[in-house]
Amino acid sequence: MQIERHALFWIVTAVVFLYLAQLLAPVLLPFVIGLVLAYFFNPVVDALRRLGIPRWASSILLLALVLFLIVLALVFLVPILVQQAAGLVEAAPRQIERIKLMIETSARDYLGSRYPEAEATVRSALDSFASSMPSFMAGVAQSIWNQGAAAFNFVSFVLITPIVFFYTLKDWPKIIASVDSWLPRDNAGELRALAVEINQRVSAFIRGQGAVCVLLAAFYAVALSLAGLEYGLLVGLFTGLAAFIPVVGWTLGTATAITLAILQFWPETMPILIVIGIMLAGQALESAILSPNIIGSEVGLHPVWLIFALLTFSYLFGFLGLLVAVPVSAAIGVLVRFALKTYLSSSVYTGRDSAEA
């Protein structure tokens, strides 16, 4: 009876928490980023603490380092990215016209003598595409702005995130001790073991995938730039950093890179094949070398469940859901496996008792 009360309490708590998270998702984003950064750098603070540096001093040093790297990016990298993004937006109408011309030419070559019969349909489809694309892009931008404006304004991103990062990092042992004090004493050992397993899987993704994203961003940005792709730096950094969202990030980056390569190099095929080869090489690098050696198999999610988690969390929580989908799903997986193990073991035990009776 006591176990049932505990289960009911945690189920109700989880439902209320999910409802509040969905309601406050845009506001929660800077807090989540601060917590993720604190979780990422906590082992560094622990190492510095063992060297005799106070935890508050280590937290200040790491905060200063992160802010310094952000300032370097703002000074040296962001202007180039802004220039490439502005150039891409400015060139969008011309590129749309080129796509229309390429499709029309390909249709004429493919249909041959039958093209005059289908010309009206092709032109109608192309005109519809050309007229809908700007409104579609504007709608996407407006949607992103509506979801992110409350979270990514100057105050929340520049002020709230560093504050959350610093205080969470400084008080991490106190936070863990407080959570531990909430555990029911009869099951504290079992719950601590679950927490350790969840921590292993979540840290494997957050810390491991973070390092993988940085390495992939550097690889894609350098390789695409050397391949001569316009906006290669922008696309490469986006693809690498978006790898934090598995499957989705690489797919979007690859589609963007190949589309830009076709628009820039067609009818030459070799540069397009080089761009395709770079994207495939990046995926192979991630799958065969970086992920197995840096992350390993600790996350423990099947690719089908991974895609399902990404779609579900993004639908419920927007951009925030994409960020937390994998670690939260990994934690849920640990809890579900524990529940199934407990249920099956109790079922086997009950069955034996019945057989003996």
Side-chain angles (χ1 to χ4, degrees):
M1 191 68 179
Q2 185 178 4
I3 296 176
E4 292 178 358
R5 286 201 302 269
H6 285 163
L8 180 62
F9 169 77
W10 286 113
I11 290 173
V12 173
T13 302
V15 171
V16 173
F17 175 80
L18 290 174
Y19 172 75
L20 292 176
Q22 183 182 17
L23 187 65
L24 302 174
V27 179
L28 291 176
L29 194 52
F31 292 90
V32 171
I33 293 175
L35 289 171
V36 169
L37 288 175
Y39 184 80
F40 186 90
F41 286 106
N42 183 61
V44 180
V45 175
D46 290 338
L48 294 175
R49 181 70 183 85
R50 288 192 292 268
L51 294 176
I53 301 176
R55 192 170 185 90
W56 63 267
S58 303
S59 302
I60 292 177
L61 287 175
L62 283 175
L63 177 60
L65 175 62
V66 172
L67 292 177
F68 175 71
L69 294 176
I70 292 174
V71 170
L72 282 182
L74 290 174
V75 172
F76 295 103
L77 189 59
V78 171
I80 300 175
L81 296 178
V82 170
Q83 182 180 4
Q84 290 198 357
L88 181 59
V89 171
E90 182 182 355
R94 298 195 303 271
Q95 301 296 0
I96 292 175
E97 290 300 321
R98 287 192 61 189
I99 293 175
K100 289 176 57 179
L101 180 60
M102 290 169 58
I103 294 175
E104 187 176 351
T105 303
S106 300
R108 183 180 290 107
D109 294 340
Y110 177 76
L111 295 175
S113 60
R114 294 175 295 167
Y115 178 75
E117 301 175 3
E119 182 176 5
T121 303
V122 173
R123 288 188 176 276
S124 176
L126 291 176
D127 291 340
S128 176
F129 166 77
S131 61
S132 64
M133 184 56 65
S135 60
F136 171 76
M137 296 177 64
V140 171
Q142 184 65 34
S143 175
I144 294 173
W145 172 257
N146 289 338
Q147 293 189 15
F152 279 108
N153 57 52
F154 178 81
V155 175
S156 65
F157 187 73
V158 176
L159 182 60
I160 295 178
T161 301
I163 291 175
V164 173
F165 169 67
F166 171 74
Y167 281 105
T168 304
L169 195 59
K170 182 177 75 71
D171 297 330
W172 191 267
K174 297 180 182 178
I175 296 173
I176 299 300
S178 297
V179 174
D180 184 79
S181 67
W182 301 340
L183 301 178
R185 296 298 96 185
D186 295 340
N187 308 105
E190 204 169 40
L191 293 175
R192 290 191 189 105
L194 279 175
V196 169
E197 185 177 355
I198 290 173
N199 177 66
Q200 290 175 347
R201 296 183 184 277
V202 173
S203 64
F205 178 77
I206 292 181
R207 297 181 183 125
Q209 192 68 23
V212 169
C213 287
V214 172
L215 295 174
L216 287 176
F219 169 77
Y220 285 126
V222 172
L224 292 177
S225 299
L226 292 177
L229 180 68
E230 293 181 356
Y231 321 113
L233 179 64
L234 178 66
V235 175
L237 289 178
F238 165 78
T239 305
L241 297 179
F244 197 81
I245 308 169
V247 181
V248 177
W250 181 82
T251 302
L252 292 177
T254 300
T256 304
I258 293 175
T259 301
L260 292 175
I262 292 174
L263 292 174
Q264 179 180 344
F265 298 117
W266 188 263
E268 296 182 47
T269 56
M270 184 55 66
I272 299 173
L273 293 177
I274 291 175
V275 170
I276 295 175
I278 290 173
M279 305 310 294
L280 293 177
Q283 179 64 18
L285 177 66
E286 178 185 5
S287 303
I289 299 177
L290 296 180
S291 292
N293 290 283
I294 297 178
I295 301 176
S297 58
E298 294 294 330
V299 177
L301 286 178
H302 191 276
V304 174
W305 287 111
L306 180 62
I307 296 173
F308 175 78
L310 289 169
L311 293 176
T312 303
F313 276 79
S314 63
Y315 174 77
L316 292 175
F317 307 108
F319 181 71
L320 175 65
L322 285 176
L323 291 179
V324 303
V326 177
V328 171
S329 299
I332 293 175
V334 172
L335 297 176
V336 170
R337 283 190 288 270
F338 171 77
L340 287 174
K341 180 181 177 181
T342 304
Y343 168 75
L344 293 175
S345 61
S346 63
S347 298
V348 171
Y349 182 75
T350 303
R352 288 177 178 174
D353 286 349
S354 300
E356 291 175 0

